[in-house]
Amino acid sequence: MQSDIVEELEAWSDSDGEYGHHARSQCLAKAAAEITALRDRVARLEGERQWRPIETVPRDGTMFDVWVPSYAEPGKGYRVPNLWLDADGSMFRYRDPQPIKLSHPPTHWMPLPDSPPATDGV
């Protein structure tokens, strides 16, 4: 059975604290907490960047990407980026006033990632 590094760090932290090694104990506890926080963040980010069924696509102007399957080559297809739906369900590409026409209906959608942080002068 493989032990978890966070559990090991927490156990070492408790043990070191009992033997008077308080600075090392605090460092180990901090490392365990940081690993736990990073694991939670990775899980959240991975969950956000998953393909979702097209039936759940937002219809409020939120931008997203879609997956259009290839019927000629099962398991293949293509991604169409930067789309949004209006209230009537028409799909538009970013800054294009005309609805787009796809070769086949999309089966999945994915939210866009967050924008990079703003920089001075940009």
Side-chain angles (χ1 to χ4, degrees):
M1 181 172 144
Q2 183 179 359
S3 66
D4 182 74
I5 188 65
V6 171
E7 292 172 0
E8 289 183 35
L9 289 169
E10 290 170 340
W12 292 338
S13 173
D14 292 344
S15 176
D16 278 1
E18 291 172 6
Y19 288 102
H21 303 289
H22 299 294
R24 187 166 60 189
S25 174
Q26 290 173 348
C27 183
L28 291 168
K30 186 175 177 180
E34 182 72 14
I35 290 170
T36 299
L38 289 170
R39 285 178 174 173
D40 291 345
R41 183 169 185 229
V42 166
R44 181 182 54 81
L45 291 172
E46 285 178 347
E48 290 174 1
R49 298 298 301 155
Q50 296 293 318
W51 288 107
R52 301 169 186 190
I54 196 66
E55 296 79 18
T56 64
V57 70
R59 296 177 179 268
D60 61 1
T62 300
M63 294 194 56
F64 52 86
D65 294 349
V66 297
W67 181 258
V68 179
S70 168
Y71 293 105
E73 298 180 69
K76 295 192 177 186
Y78 61 95
R79 180 184 199 144
V80 182
N82 303 322
L83 303 176
W84 59 276
L85 286 178
D86 67 8
D88 296 328
S90 296
M91 194 173 295
F92 295 85
R93 189 174 293 233
Y94 180 66
R95 294 191 176 191
D96 187 347
Q98 298 299 314
I100 67 166
K101 293 182 180 14
L102 300 171
S103 60
H104 301 289
T107 57
H108 293 81
W109 72 280
M110 182 184 294
L112 299 181
D114 292 336
S115 300
T119 58
D120 291 338
V122 179

